[in-house]
Amino acid sequence: MTARLADLLTDPRRPRPGILHLGPGAFFRAHLAVYTDGALRAKGGAWGIEVAGLRDAATARQFTAQDGCFTLLVRDGTDTRAQVLGPVLRGVAPDDIPARMAAPEIRIVTLTVTEKAYGLDPESGGLDPTHPAIAADLTNRAPPRSAVGLIAAGLAARRDAGVPPFTPLSCDNLAGNGHLLRRLVLDFAAHRDPALAEWIATEVPFPSTMVDRITPASTPATRADARRLTGMDDPLAVETEPFLQWVIEDRFAQGRPDWDRAGALFVQDVAPYEAMKLRMLNGTHSLLAWLGLAAGHEFVRDAIADPVIAGAARSHLQAAARTLASVPGVDPGAYAEALLERFRNRAIAHRLDQIAMDGTQKLPPRILSPAAEMLAKGGDTDSFARVTAGWVWHAAQHEPLRDPRADEIRARLAGVPRDPASLTAALMALPGLFPPALRDNADWNRQVAGHVAVLTGGAA
Ligand code: CS2
């Protein structure tokens, strides 16, 4: 290849590495990479990014083959703009992750690995020792493969070498993602070496973050448009919406890029922002996905154009907003309207089945926590029951079901009568998924089953 994407970079200076990123998928490329690119342009600093997949080596290899450069398409509904970004320096093979985590120049380890990669036991809020990657890492003496195991081992290597810790920074859609990652890493470390857990507890900050940018999986159309606009073929091209947001707790062991120069907001406590985004944006996304698929739609933009589903989305945004503390500088009504506008973006082909997957991981922070809080306040849980029913129906009949607990779900549903109450009862009994306050509440069960009946036209 004579022409290189790197030749299209508007700023060809490459920084020294400072960040190791785990999970270099589309969301990373449209979000963290964009903020880091902006921070480096504005202020510079040794904050270049190295990227690694936990299991998939191919994407990291492709980054190396492209000098770390990739094309970002921003689709605003009328226009598509292309930009070549260069904050990524190279890819790292899975086997080389431990060595890079031990390298003193790496001062932040960022993660976009999706909810299911964390190994969270929803019942205890701690580490799930039966999670396949975690179980393997707890028994093997070989280098770890799970994100949590790698972080614990990386921090151990630094402590042993007298190197200050890196800051682990979760950028996944989990409530209290920093607190949660801390708890999981401490649980893992305690299994290996209690003194390590103590050292991590005192020396290592785990800031929480709220991340937001709607980024569908890339398709052949993404690659074709990137080629048309840049003249280069780019297998790493991604497409996204104009909107982006990042709120970060400002607690770092060894500094951080000036992400605020690219629009990120540094705060003391990210929890109110995170709850708002998870419950309003992601909760309504899940509603659109499960109810939209049940109504035969394929994309978010189609589901939101369906008046019945749009009405349900609107009332869900209000129901979710009623569970939230106020967020500095944000008007919930305006936030809800802006979300609806984003969902309506016709240029974004966001597949409902992409959002519908991994329901057992997405339901708790998006739907079940606010539902349980609402119930405790004696408030109306109807909208949360409707979304839950959407998931029940999806889990009962979608093939193949993409969920880390799909086998367990199939086993529980085998032989269960296909009526709404029986399907609801079977899934409500999945260990650890539903908070007991919901699971054991007859009204809630009836409410969910009632909505399953609506979805199925009365007969499942
Ligand atoms: C979506 C999110 O796939 C999903 O579950 O709800 O990926 C959503 O698009 C992002 O969180 C938006 O920031």
Side-chain angles (χ1 to χ4, degrees):
M1 200 168 52
T2 45
R4 292 156 65 247
L5 270 175
D7 297 333
L8 298 181
L9 277 184
T10 52
D11 183 350
R13 284 168 301 166
R14 308 309 290 277
R16 301 273 315 140
I19 299 172
L20 175 66
H21 180 76
L22 303 180
F27 183 72
F28 156 75
R29 282 171 248 164
H31 192 267
L32 179 74
V34 173
Y35 278 102
T36 307
D37 184 76
L40 289 169
R41 281 169 194 274
K43 278 291 280 287
W47 294 109
I49 307 173
E50 297 181 357
V51 297
L54 291 176
R55 280 165 309 165
D56 150 48
T59 306
R61 252 198 318 270
Q62 189 61 33
F63 266 105
T64 302
Q66 299 186 185
D67 303 309
C69 299
F70 67 93
T71 314
L72 178 79
L73 301 181
V74 179
R75 299 197 195 274
D76 69 7
T78 45
D79 229 5
T80 298
R81 281 185 301 109
Q83 192 189 353
V84 174
L85 297 179
V88 176
L89 302 174
R90 66 183 191 103
V92 171
D95 285 347
D96 298 334
I97 296 174
R100 293 311 292 148
M101 282 195 172
E105 63 188 346
I106 296 298
R107 284 153 292 145
I108 302 179
V109 171
T110 48
L111 294 90
T112 51
V113 292
T114 80
E115 299 91 335
K116 61 178 173 281
Y118 281 75
L120 167 70
D121 173 354
E123 206 157 13
S124 69
L127 192 68
D128 175 5
T130 68
H131 180 279
I134 300 285
D137 285 353
L138 286 172
T139 46
N140 281 346
R141 282 286 136 190
R145 293 282 173 192
S146 67
V148 163
L150 281 163
I151 290 171
L155 290 169
R158 293 174 82 108
R159 178 199 59 171
D160 297 347
V163 172
F166 54 75
T167 300
L169 190 65
S170 168
C171 301
D172 284 295
N173 285 321
L174 288 151
N177 53 13
H179 300 283
L180 184 94
L181 181 60
R182 178 176 191 270
R183 164 91 192 264
L184 301 178
V185 170
L186 290 178
D187 282 2
F188 188 96
H191 270 93
R192 285 264 166 105
D193 167 7
L196 172 65
E198 258 172 58
W199 182 81
I200 294 174
T202 47
E203 299 297 326
V204 185
F206 286 81
S208 286
T209 65
M210 179 268 249
V211 294
D212 189 8
R213 193 168 210 184
I214 290 175
T215 307
S218 299
T219 67
T222 318
R223 194 158 162 181
D225 278 359
R227 182 199 278 272
R228 182 172 57 77
L229 292 165
T230 67
M232 306 265 187
D233 184 40
D234 180 2
L236 294 177
V238 288
E239 60 176 83
T240 190
E241 62 170 347
F243 182 91
L244 73 171
Q245 192 177 15
W246 197 13
V247 188
I248 314 163
E249 286 174 356
D250 201 0
R251 300 184 281 115
F252 288 80
Q254 298 193 69
R256 40 89 176 156
D258 289 287
W259 284 314
D260 45 341
R261 295 293 298 268
L265 182 65
F266 284 106
V267 297
Q268 286 295 311
D269 178 13
V270 96
Y273 298 90
E274 209 175 29
M276 174 182 76
K277 192 262 174 172
L278 275 165
R279 294 177 181 193
M280 292 183 72
L281 189 159
N282 296 112
T284 308
H285 242 180
S286 290
L287 175 151
L288 293 171
W290 294 320
L291 302 191
L293 287 173
H297 300 298
E298 193 177 355
F299 297 108
V300 170
R301 62 190 181 199
D302 304 328
I304 200 70
D306 176 327
V308 176
I309 297 178
R314 210 171 256 288
S315 52
H316 189 74
L317 285 165
Q318 287 162 2
R322 281 194 288 273
T323 70
L324 297 170
S326 72
V327 180
V330 182
D331 165 42
Y335 184 72
E337 286 307 319
L339 291 178
L340 290 167
E341 199 54 43
R342 290 168 66 193
F343 297 153
R344 286 194 285 256
N345 185 341
R346 298 291 310 164
I348 299 288
H350 201 179
R351 295 189 62 80
L352 295 172
D353 54 15
Q354 183 185 342
I355 303 167
M357 67 190 274
D358 295 347
T360 58
Q361 313 296 302
K362 293 176 178 175
L363 267 176
R366 299 177 181 201
I367 304 296
L368 305 182
S369 300
E373 286 171 23
M374 218 24 166
L375 193 68
K377 285 198 289 198
D380 183 4
T381 53
D382 187 61
S383 190
F384 302 103
R386 177 164 39 214
V387 186
T388 305
W391 173 73
V392 168
W393 182 232
H394 180 78
Q397 51 79 48
H398 196 83
E399 284 296 345
L401 181 63
R402 289 158 75 201
D403 191 291
R405 299 182 72 177
D407 291 346
E408 205 185 333
I409 290 172
R410 287 283 162 269
R412 280 195 176 259
L413 290 175
V416 166
R418 307 282 296 169
D419 64 275
S422 306
L423 292 175
T424 301
L427 293 182
M428 209 62 71
L430 272 173
L433 181 58
F434 285 85
L438 295 176
R439 188 195 58 206
D440 303 336
N441 184 296
D443 289 340
W444 164 261
N445 279 265
R446 255 195 305 276
Q447 228 172 15
V448 174
H451 281 295
V452 175
V454 174
L455 283 177
T456 60

